[in-house]
Amino acid sequence: MTEETTFFTYDVFCEKLSSLCRRAGLKEQEDAAARKLYTVCTRLCECSRRFNLTAIHDPEEILRKHITDSLFFAAAIEKSGADSLIDIGSGAGFPSLPTAAVLPSVDVCALDSTAKKTVYMKETAIGAGISNFRSVAARAEEAGHTGAMREAFGAAGARAVANLRVLLELCTPFVRRGGVFVAMKGESAKEEAREAKSAAKLLGCELSSIAEYSVPDLSDKRFLLIYQKISPAKQLYPRNFSQITKKPL
């Protein structure tokens, strides 16, 4: 395999994107949004190995595992009515970059502890003409205590980066009352939700829905766990990361 993988032509990409948007329940994307998404994908193909961004390099796999996931997530954010979103542990920019591309009225912030990745996301957004996007290099457990970010967002999201009890503590302090936290999970989603009931209550959240979805040609089940922020979390949360992982709520 070559060092760089060639992505689909734009016309082929648009055909595939149209099908994925219908599947996710999003309206047909205008050419401007499609071109933004196309740039996100082609740049990932060009830079992935160089920057060690993701283990997924095949164009079909990028569409199935990155774009499809992101479109279902974006549909949930659109339905919530949130005006702003923070994506915790955004990595290579999924779901934050595609969400910003298809929801231009939502201000999107991608948070990741690796500066190299936040620079990549920023440069990708600029190259794609995604103006409602910014990236921040910081640890969630620290940024969640800053005045500029605590309870500053209408929504927060995370893509299977940790157990749900850990994610709830890391992510929900960023969400203002009335906002939502959307966790992207696999087969363990319902079990994790049961185990996280007390954590959610402590953090001022309530599970409002569990939405199951599927990715073309993949048999594994995927879920969006959607939590409503009912009340502010105590200032204690989030604790430092070692406490969170050793003694999850």
Side-chain angles (χ1 to χ4, degrees), residues 150-151 175-177 202-204 229-235:
R150 188 174 180 88
E151 297 186 354
V175 182
R176 69 175 74 102
R177 186 183 302 180
L202 279 171
L203 294 160
K229 186 71 174 288
I230 306 301
S231 59
K234 293 181 180 179
Q235 196 63 39

Side-chain angles (χ1 to χ4, degrees), residues 186-201:
E187 299 275 358
S188 65
K190 293 180 181 180
E191 181 182 351
E192 287 190 40
R194 284 193 293 270
E195 294 173 348
K197 281 184 178 180
S198 62
K201 186 175 181 180

Side-chain angles (χ1 to χ4, degrees), residues 95-237:
S96 53
L97 281 169
T99 298
V102 301
L103 300 179
S105 63
V106 178
D107 291 324
V108 177
C109 175
L111 185 77
D112 198 275
S113 61
T114 305
K116 177 177 66 174
K117 292 181 178 179
T118 60
V119 169
Y120 165 82
M121 288 187 282
K122 178 182 177 181
E123 291 176 347
T124 299
I126 292 171
I130 303 173
S131 59
N132 56 318
F133 179 91
R134 63 188 171 104
S135 58
V136 175
R139 296 186 65 86
E141 67 272 25
E142 296 171 359
H145 285 287
T146 63
M149 302 189 84
R150 188 174 180 88
E151 297 186 354
F153 298 88
R159 191 183 182 207
V161 295
N163 180 274
L164 184 59
R165 287 188 292 170
V166 172
L167 289 181
L168 280 164
E169 184 169 353
L170 287 174
C171 299
T172 57
F174 291 96
V175 182
R176 69 175 74 102
R177 186 183 302 180
V180 297
F181 165 57
V182 182
M184 306 172 75
K185 284 288 180 180
E187 299 275 358
S188 65
K190 293 180 181 180
E191 181 182 351
E192 287 190 40
R194 284 193 293 270
E195 294 173 348
K197 281 184 178 180
S198 62
K201 186 175 181 180
L202 279 171
L203 294 160
C205 294
E206 184 177 277
L207 181 64
S208 60
S209 66
I210 301 178
E212 182 178 347
Y213 67 99
S214 61
V215 174
D217 302 320
L218 294 179
S219 60
D220 59 321
K221 295 180 180 179
R222 300 187 179 209
F223 300 86
L224 296 175
L225 302 177
I226 303 173
Y227 285 83
Q228 197 80 25
K229 186 71 174 288
I230 306 301
S231 59
K234 293 181 180 179
Q235 196 63 39
L236 164 68
Y237 305 118

Side-chain angles (χ1 to χ4, degrees), residues 69-90:
D69 258 3
S70 297
L71 293 178
F72 273 96
F73 176 85
I77 297 301
E78 183 178 48
K79 186 177 180 180
S80 77
D83 60 352
S84 55
L85 163 72
I86 184 166
D87 176 19
I88 308 298
S90 195

